[in-house]
Amino acid sequence: MSRVTVWHDGRCPLCRREIAMMRRLDTRGRITFVDVTHAACPIDRAAMLARFHAREDGGPMLSGAAAFAAMWRAIPLLRPLGIVARHRVVLALLDRGYAGFLRIRPWMQRVVSAASAARDARRKT
């Protein structure tokens, strides 16, 4: 299995939750997670924040569904999905789904932030 570097938005509540889950699933420590909000970016920071990016074994920068597939291939449990995503038709379908997700992401971020704030408020009382 390859080593993968994943860049993510550490300020995004959705990203933080997803990265936390991927860290737990990365039982072999093959993924390096880089918070774009606190680190140097290999490409434009705005582009890094707009889409998910990853790089396998120093290869080309991947974004969108291809980046997710690279990350999945590094995680034993998700590896079969990552391998299937190498097929261009499957990757195209995943990328369409990711584009749809990006349209609703701002709304989802607000919902998750509000839920987190409410949970934190309950804990304080």
Side-chain angles (χ1 to χ4, degrees):
M1 278 190 232
S2 61
R3 298 222 22 98
V4 178
T5 301
V6 168
W7 288 268
H8 65 95
D9 181 356
R11 292 179 296 189
C12 169
L14 294 172
C15 297
R16 284 194 310 266
R17 287 179 181 210
E18 179 181 12
I19 295 303
M21 181 177 67
M22 292 300 145
R23 285 181 201 267
R24 286 190 302 272
L25 292 174
D26 182 25
T27 57
R28 296 187 179 155
R30 297 189 187 271
I31 304 173
T32 301
F33 295 96
V34 179
D35 182 349
V36 175
T37 60
H38 301 294
C41 299
I43 62 172
D44 178 64
R45 185 177 307 278
M48 297 290 286
L49 291 169
R51 289 178 60 92
F52 190 73
H53 289 80
R55 179 177 283 149
E56 282 182 291
D57 290 327
M61 180 68 68
L62 303 169
S63 73
F68 279 100
M71 179 176 64
W72 297 337
R73 284 190 291 273
I75 296 172
L77 181 66
L78 301 176
R79 185 169 172 74
L81 182 59
I83 290 171
V84 169
R86 282 190 164 139
H87 190 278
R88 64 181 178 85
V89 173
V90 173
L91 188 58
L93 289 171
L94 289 171
D95 224 19
R96 280 189 118 173
Y98 183 63
F101 164 76
L102 289 177
R103 285 193 289 277
I104 64 169
R105 182 173 74 167
W107 172 80
M108 290 179 72
Q109 288 172 323
R110 287 191 298 274
V111 168
V112 170
S113 289
S116 293
R119 185 188 67 231
D120 292 345
R122 284 192 305 272
R123 286 181 179 170
K124 289 180 181 179
T125 58

